């Protein structure tokens, strides 16, 4: 850790206020170039504590930058994780208010819900599948608090990995009924196909993303409890949306998830 507690507290308030006011800020490493990985996750933890203290409920975890398409789009090179709270949840087919967001983008993701705890190190795809209750489709709406989505890995970790909204829907299925690598994904905006992808885009297999999360948490002495909802990361690039857009994502064997931006 290179930053002191007062600085970590101030940066958490700075980023969480930017989120609540839908106002962009410059990436925090500009002013704090000595910030390290521990500092970055310590700021994220403080943002989580601020939200929970205000009455938000933790609803899951997410992995980010797990596909080559996303890493390339954002110019960064390693997966990261963040948390999810009930404030971010929107219903399938529902409206997402643009007025509360800065510059949202949509991501097509495969989500897992666990039925047994997972603890790294050494957690692998087989452990994840054995501990999976079901998988279901999700669309994440990310909204970096950084101007023009320009950030480095440490700044984005501190900003809870751009988490803003998410929608689940479609069909929940046991993982063994699906070929999660070959699972096709089609993203449509206003009735037109804008991207296609497959489960394998996410670290070769979406369950590998959950295993990596368990292993990264294991390094901090933490585990993934049974019953955790986990989004495994965007399978394609993220796509910007505007007021009036409607988005439908179709997942092979898992139905679809849709939303309108108003
Ligand atoms: C960081 C969040 C990435 C994903 O699914 O890859 C993410 C960002 O690109 O702003 O949620
Ligand atoms: Mg995501």
């Amino acid at each position: 850790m290179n930053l002191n507690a007062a600085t970590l507290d101030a940066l958490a308030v700075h980023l969480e206020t930017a989120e609540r006011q839908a106002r962009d800020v410059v990436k925090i490493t500009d002013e704090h170039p000595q910030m390290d990985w521990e500092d970055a996750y310590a700021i994220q933890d403080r943002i989580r504590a601020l939200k929970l203290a205000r009455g938000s409920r933790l609803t899951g975890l997410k992995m980010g930058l797990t596909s080559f398409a996303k890493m390339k789009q954002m110019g960064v090179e390693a997966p990261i994780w963040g948390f999810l709270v009930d404030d971010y949840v929107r219903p399938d087919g529902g409206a997402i208010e643009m007025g509360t967001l800065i510059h949202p983008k949509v991501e097509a993701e495969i989500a897992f819900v666990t039925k047994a705890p997972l603890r790294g190190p050494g957690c692998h795809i087989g452990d994840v599948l054995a501990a999976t209750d079901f998988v279901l489709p999700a669309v994440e709406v990310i909204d970096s608090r950084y101007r023009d989505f320009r950030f480095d890995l440490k700044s984005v970790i501190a900003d809870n990995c751009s988490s803003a909204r998410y929608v689940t829907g479609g069909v929940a299925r046991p993982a063994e009924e699906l070929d999660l690598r070959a699972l096709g994904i089609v993203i449509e905006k206003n009735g037109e196909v804008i991207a296609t992808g497959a489960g394998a885009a996410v670290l070769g297999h979406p369950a590998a993303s959950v295993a990596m999360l368990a292993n990264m948490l294991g390094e901090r002495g933490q585990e993934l409890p049974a019953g955790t909802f986990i989004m495994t990361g965007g399978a394609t690039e993220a796509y910007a949306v505007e007021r009036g857009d409607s988005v439908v994502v179709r997942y092979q064997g898992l139905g679809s998830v849709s939303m309108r931006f108003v």
Side-chain angles (χ1 to χ4, degrees):
M1 303 269 275
N2 289 329
L3 303 183
N4 62 37
T7 306
L8 296 171
D9 285 340
L11 288 169
V13 170
H14 172 64
L15 289 172
E16 213 253 347
T17 304
E19 177 191 338
R20 288 194 293 125
Q21 297 179 347
R23 191 174 44 77
D24 62 7
V25 296
V26 297
K27 68 178 191 313
I28 57 177
T29 47
D30 287 357
E31 227 186 291
H32 302 278
Q34 75 281 28
M35 187 172 122
D36 67 15
W37 303 108
E38 269 184 89
D39 293 322
Y41 279 109
I43 294 165
Q44 187 193 112
D45 288 346
R46 280 164 161 80
I47 292 175
R48 183 198 302 212
L50 285 171
K51 289 186 183 298
L52 298 189
R54 214 182 289 114
S56 300
R57 197 171 57 80
L58 194 70
T59 50
L61 295 171
K62 64 169 256 190
M63 287 289 279
L65 308 174
T66 48
S67 68
F68 185 61
K70 279 282 326 184
M71 287 189 229
K72 189 167 162 223
Q73 180 183 31
M74 305 321 299
V76 291
E77 61 300 312
I80 54 182
W81 86 85
F83 66 85
L84 302 170
V85 284
D86 57 342
D87 318 58
Y88 296 162
V89 181
R90 291 295 178 275
D92 190 14
I96 311 243
E97 328 73 29
M98 290 295 285
T100 61
L101 299 167
I102 304 163
H103 44 199
K105 295 183 185 179
V106 292
E107 297 183 322
E109 310 208 9
I110 295 170
F112 285 63
V113 173
T114 60
K115 61 183 177 196
L118 282 167
R119 190 178 189 121
C123 185
H124 58 75
I125 291 174
D127 298 323
V128 173
L129 293 176
T132 297
D133 197 356
F134 55 86
V135 296
L136 76 168
V139 173
E140 179 170 29
V141 180
I142 52 168
D143 193 37
S144 176
R145 268 55 68 171
Y146 299 119
R147 197 151 302 153
D148 304 321
F149 268 86
R150 275 218 292 277
F151 50 63
D152 49 39
L153 220 39
K154 288 169 191 156
S155 293
V156 72
I157 289 166
D159 184 33
N160 193 23
C161 306
S162 312
S163 302
R165 304 282 180 267
Y166 69 96
V167 178
T168 62
V171 185
R173 303 256 312 260
E176 58 269 26
E177 288 181 7
L178 299 158
D179 180 350
L180 287 169
R181 289 189 304 170
L183 192 146
I185 298 170
V186 179
I187 307 179
E188 296 175 9
K189 188 164 88 172
N190 304 326
E192 266 180 49
V193 175
I194 56 166
T196 57
V202 176
L203 293 171
H205 190 302
S209 173
V210 179
M212 184 178 276
L213 176 60
N215 290 330
M216 294 196 301
L217 291 175
E219 279 173 31
R220 314 172 105 209
Q222 297 170 9
E223 67 172 23
L224 274 175
T228 306
F229 170 80
I230 303 140
M231 290 197 301
T232 56
T236 69
E237 274 182 36
Y239 293 93
V241 286
E242 284 168 20
R243 187 173 273 120
D245 283 343
S246 100
V247 171
V248 179
V249 185
R250 301 181 197 283
Y251 301 79
Q252 191 177 5
L254 289 176
S256 61
V257 174
S258 65
M259 67 207 61
R260 297 171 284 119
F261 291 85
V262 300

